[in-house]
Amino acid sequence: AQSVTQLDSQVPVFEEAPVELRCNYSSSVSVYLFWYVQYPNQGLQLLLKYLSGSTLVKGINGFEAEFNKSQTSFHLRKPSVHISDTAEYFCAVTPPRGAGSYQLTFGKGTKLSVIP
Amino acid sequence: NAGVMQNPRHLVRRRGQEARLRCSPMKGHSHVYWYRQLPEEGLKFMVYLQKENIIDESGMPKERFSAEFPKEGPSILRIQQVVRGDSAAYFCASSPQGQNTEAFFGQGTRLTVV
């Protein structure tokens, strides 16, 4: 079984400042990793995903994340945030194959508030 | 190419009534997943279906909840005799194959039980 911990439930940050949203996971097998964004009263939109290869993954809207296998982390970063980035962000994992490989296991989410 | 369509977007039911949530997957997608998001929680997997088959319902409550994905028409998540604790956002996702690496989510149905 897998689990995901998002260490911060809320992150306020000033506009144009950098931001890091933290995600740690626990799994007895290798996993694929994802970050999703949810705007108010909307569905989830995929920001980026790590399947294999380079540990630095670039996504949409200027976000990137780095997979650190030794620390079992997949932190999301953006060098300069905009008001429009205000949303809730979810980290998720899934095993690449075998039992449960079609289930995404989500963290509880981090609410990013960008302050003008 | 329309995305994953869920309806209704908002649903209010009185305790004891039935709730029916619909999900039309993206064109060409034959795999559907349902997730539930309780307040202040992340999404929790409920059930995975292919056309006419339930593949994994390990996340479904044992009673009152059922899901189907018929050969024709949308996938349906049915909740019988709703209780206040069923109030949540229910999301559907679809993928072309049974892999979440290519899953797309709908906008969800927000169920309120009064």
Side-chain angles (χ1 to χ4, degrees), chain A residues 32 34 36 38 41-44 46 49 51 88 90 94-97 101-104 106-109 111, chain B residues 9-10 33 35 37 40-43 45 48 55-56 58 91 98-103 105-108 110:
Chain A
Y32 292 154
F34 306 79
Y36 286 87
Q38 183 180 31
N41 296 316
Q42 298 293 318
L44 274 70
L46 181 65
K49 60 187 176 185
L51 306 182
E88 190 159 18
F90 291 94
T94 190
R97 65 191 63 82
S101 62
Y102 33 77
Q103 297 182 24
L104 287 165
F106 286 86
K108 290 188 176 183
K111 291 181 180 176
Chain B
R9 292 289 308 279
H10 301 275
Y33 318 81
Y35 289 80
Q37 184 181 30
E40 307 302 320
E41 294 284 330
L43 279 72
F45 170 82
Y48 163 42
I55 307 302
D56 180 359
S58 59
F91 290 94
Q99 256 294 351
N100 273 293
T101 56
E102 303 297 333
F105 282 81
Q107 292 190 309
R110 281 153 182 85

Side-chain angles (χ1 to χ4, degrees), chain A residues 49 51 58 72 74 83:
Chain A
K49 60 187 176 185
L51 306 182
K58 294 191 182 297
T72 60
F74 191 53
I83 295 290

Side-chain angles (χ1 to χ4, degrees), chain B residues 60-77:
Chain B
M60 289 276 272
K62 298 298 182 198
E63 297 178 347
R64 302 186 297 108
F65 285 71
S66 63
E68 62 178 9
F69 189 16
K71 186 176 180 180
E72 300 292 336
S75 175
I76 304 288
L77 179 66

Side-chain angles (χ1 to χ4, degrees), chain B residues 9-25:
Chain B
R9 292 289 308 279
H10 301 275
L11 181 62
V12 179
R13 285 286 177 265
R14 296 186 182 279
R15 281 178 293 173
Q17 291 185 319
E18 179 180 280
R20 291 168 63 95
L21 288 62
R22 297 176 188 80
C23 169
S24 296

